[in-house]
Amino acid sequence: MQLIDQLNDSIRSLSGFWPELALVFAIVLVVIADLVFTPRSPIQLAGFATTPDATLSASKNRSILYALSLTAVVVAGALTFGQVGREKGFLFSSVLLLDNQAVFYKLIVTLAAFFAILHGWAVARPRNELPLDWLPILLGMLLGLYLMTMSVNLLTIYLSIELVSISSYLLTALSTDRKASEGGLKYLLFGAISSAIMLYGMSLLYGLTGTLALSESGNQLAQNDAFVVYVAGFLTLSGLFFKLSLVPFHVWTPDAYEAAPTPVVAFFSVAPKAAALLVLMRILTAFPASFQTPVAVIALASITLGNFSALWQTDAKRLLAYSSIAHAGFLLVGVVAFSETGFEAATFYIATYVFINMAAFLLVDLLAKPQNGNLTIQNFSGLGSSQPLLSAALTVVMIALTGLPPTVGFTAKLLAFSALLEAYQTDTNPWLLALFVVGLLNAIVSLFYYLRIPFLLYFRPVSNTYLSDTKLNLPQLFLAAVVTAPVLILFFKPDWILRWIGSL
């Protein structure tokens, strides 16, 4: 009888699992389409040159696979959007929870995947920079992120994080060059260590509570020694700190960002952080012990280390990698408030950060095109006159990353630090004040490296006159405009997102 009940529960759960099932079907379809449309002939495998007709056919086949992958993301996003307002409910024997928060965060990661595939199609596809294998792997990673947003059981949290991590390792080392192999190996080693630590922490939590469900573990943990709960809790949170690129689990970030293709890095920089942020808030809410002070210290360390390390970078992707470490710390500013206002501020921050960071990587990649794909910052010198639209857009994005008006980056930081100040006035925890003061000072420090790129674009001579005259096509310029526009629009209309967040 129990097996029949479980089977009926699984069948009922499928009604809330359509986006994930659509992604599973899409992964299989894209893999089959890759085998059908891009056969590897013996001549190609041997490395001999192909004919112009074969090259044209391969280009069309690549476009078909990009179209299939993009359609899959759109369908999954539409099915997810159809779940807005759905009654909150558990799926598959309460290991997953489908609520408005999960739906909102699934839409965030779907948007990131949509822009990443468009980035790959508009920039990387014409250069043949990315093997087509990256598309089904990206869809697999998106599936893992969907599961992360709904996970309320320690086992499903671990399995979904591992699905995301394994996909990330593959995407980082997908290229054949040595740098990609080194970056992927470092990513794998640090990921394996953090995964082992997290799994050990989860085993301790299970030993203390006798349950894997977050909703049931809180009351059980309250009966245990606070120090033991702290130890088990932080060991468990290490996996999430790794996905968020927080200190001390940040070491992999610059090497992996530099090694991976730019569209992949753009997706790395926002999507896993969004899913990990929701899981982090759910775990911290379930824990009875206050983790406010330790999380504030981690946020403070991440902001400071990320900003000061970025000051010395000469490669654009490494600069943005350290920038993402700092922004992960800023994400925690709202979480540290440990209030509904703070959690809403953190949600708004990650929702707007998708547009800001995806735009940053896209614009940097497009501006690197006239320089033969070279992402050294000095090579952007003088491109303000030859690429006025892209340069203006990148300037707006750099201002947004700094957190200055009139960009939504200012609004996001204002809400996060306002929630933190409100929490300090209630709790008077000195670490909250330290995070508030040092965090704002770090925003000033970030001016020196964010605005260095606009300075080079407009106030330095062209580094290569011939290459600076290279023109970009209309789809690339249109995509740049679509990604950049929300950075300005949401500054004037933040209520478009805030109302939605307030209803979660």
Side-chain angles (χ1 to χ4, degrees):
M1 192 66 180
Q2 188 175 4
L3 289 176
I4 295 177
D5 292 338
Q6 290 180 352
L7 179 61
N8 290 332
D9 177 68
S10 298
I11 293 173
R12 286 193 300 269
S13 299
L14 290 177
S15 63
F17 207 65
W18 287 115
E20 291 73 22
L21 291 176
L23 283 176
V24 172
F25 176 76
I27 293 168
V28 176
L29 181 62
V30 172
V31 171
I32 294 175
D34 186 15
L35 296 174
V36 172
F37 288 110
T38 56
R40 278 73 171 176
S41 66
I43 294 178
Q44 289 173 311
L45 292 174
F48 292 103
T50 57
T51 63
D53 289 340
T55 303
L56 179 61
S57 176
S59 178
K60 290 181 179 179
N61 293 337
R62 293 175 71 87
S63 297
I64 291 173
L65 291 176
Y66 272 94
L68 282 174
S69 302
L70 199 60
T71 302
V73 172
V74 171
V75 170
L79 291 172
T80 301
F81 190 77
Q83 296 175 331
V84 174
R86 178 189 170 102
E87 186 178 352
K88 177 180 177 181
F90 289 97
L91 305 178
F92 302 107
S93 302
S94 302
V95 297
L96 299 175
L97 174 65
L98 182 60
D99 58 359
N100 288 330
Q101 274 191 323
V103 171
F104 184 81
Y105 276 83
K106 283 201 287 185
L107 289 174
I108 290 177
V109 298
T110 303
L111 191 64
F114 179 78
F115 284 135
I117 294 175
L118 282 179
H119 184 172
W121 174 79
V123 184
R125 180 187 58 86
R127 303 177 189 169
N128 290 326
E129 289 181 349
L130 274 170
L132 289 175
D133 302 323
W134 87 285
L135 293 171
I137 297 175
L138 182 74
L139 294 178
M141 186 173 175
L142 182 61
L143 174 62
L145 293 170
Y146 273 26
L147 295 175
M148 276 182 68
T149 60
M150 295 190 296
S151 295
V152 289
N153 182 284
L154 293 178
L155 182 60
T156 53
I157 289 173
Y158 177 77
L159 291 176
S160 58
I161 288 177
E162 284 305 291
L163 177 56
V164 172
S165 298
I166 292 171
S167 301
S168 302
Y169 307 149
L170 293 174
L171 287 172
T172 303
L174 200 59
S175 302
T176 56
D177 61 346
R178 181 176 177 180
K179 183 180 292 186
S181 300
E182 291 179 355
L185 183 59
K186 290 179 182 178
Y187 196 0
L188 172 62
L189 291 175
F190 282 106
I193 293 171
S194 66
S195 176
I197 295 173
M198 177 178 62
L199 191 60
Y200 182 62
M202 288 180 173
S203 68
L204 290 177
L205 289 178
Y206 180 72
L208 293 172
T209 63
T211 180
L212 293 171
L214 290 179
S215 58
E216 300 174 7
S217 60
N219 294 331
Q220 299 292 334
L221 287 173
Q223 302 173 11
N224 289 276
D225 182 73
F227 177 76
V228 177
V229 175
Y230 271 123
V231 173
F234 269 100
L235 290 176
T236 302
L237 293 176
S238 63
L240 298 175
F241 293 158
F242 172 77
K243 297 278 40 137
L244 286 164
S245 303
L246 288 166
V247 173
F249 297 95
H250 68 285
V251 182
W252 61 272
T253 310
D255 292 316
Y257 278 36
E258 186 181 15
T262 310
V264 171
V265 174
F267 187 69
F268 279 177
S269 67
V270 288
K273 287 182 172 59
L277 177 65
L278 179 57
V279 177
L280 176 65
M281 291 190 294
R282 282 181 166 161
I283 291 179
L284 291 177
T285 303
F287 283 170
S290 174
F291 284 77
Q292 190 176 54
T293 298
V295 174
V297 173
I298 291 174
L300 189 59
S302 300
I303 293 172
T304 305
L305 184 143
N307 277 322
F308 279 92
S309 298
L311 287 171
W312 318 109
Q313 303 306 311
T314 58
D315 182 86
K317 285 206 289 188
R318 290 187 72 89
L319 184 147
L320 290 173
Y322 283 108
S323 163
S324 72
I325 296 172
H327 278 279
F330 283 120
L331 268 178
L332 282 192
V333 169
V335 177
V336 166
F338 274 68
S339 64
E340 184 178 352
T341 304
F343 286 174
E344 289 179 356
T347 301
F348 181 83
Y349 199 110
I350 193 62
T352 55
Y353 188 59
V354 169
F355 294 104
I356 297 173
N357 232 39
M358 296 298 290
F361 280 102
L362 173 66
L363 294 169
V364 163
D365 204 15
L366 288 175
L367 282 172
K369 183 182 177 183
Q371 303 293 338
N372 287 338
N374 195 319
L375 287 163
T376 302
I377 295 173
Q378 292 295 330
N379 286 343
F380 294 163
S381 299
L383 293 182
S385 57
S386 60
Q387 305 289 347
L389 295 178
L390 292 183
S391 299
L394 186 58
T395 300
V396 169
V397 170
M398 291 296 112
I399 291 173
L401 286 171
T402 307
L404 297 177
T407 66
V408 73
F410 171 78
T411 310
K413 282 189 171 63
L414 177 65
L415 293 175
F417 280 99
S418 297
L420 181 66
L421 182 60
E422 181 182 336
Y424 171 72
Q425 291 172 344
T426 303
D427 193 7
T428 65
N429 185 335
W431 278 105
L432 301 187
L433 181 61
L435 178 59
F436 181 84
V437 174
V438 178
L440 291 179
L441 291 176
N442 268 276
I444 299 174
V445 173
S446 66
L447 277 170
F448 291 95
Y449 64 87
Y450 282 133
L451 297 187
R452 183 170 48 169
I453 293 179
F455 176 78
L456 292 172
L457 289 172
Y458 292 106
F459 298 103
R460 282 291 180 264
V462 178
S463 59
N464 192 316
T465 306
Y466 174 74
L467 290 176
S468 66
D469 292 333
T470 303
K471 301 300 179 183
L472 302 176
N473 59 42
L474 187 60
Q476 292 172 338
L477 294 175
F478 179 75
L479 178 58
V482 168
V483 179
T484 308
V487 177
L488 292 172
I489 294 173
L490 291 175
F491 171 77
F492 299 100
K493 294 290 183 180
D495 53 301
W496 288 356
I497 297 181
L498 287 174
R499 288 177 184 173
W500 193 354
I501 294 174
S503 65
L504 298 180

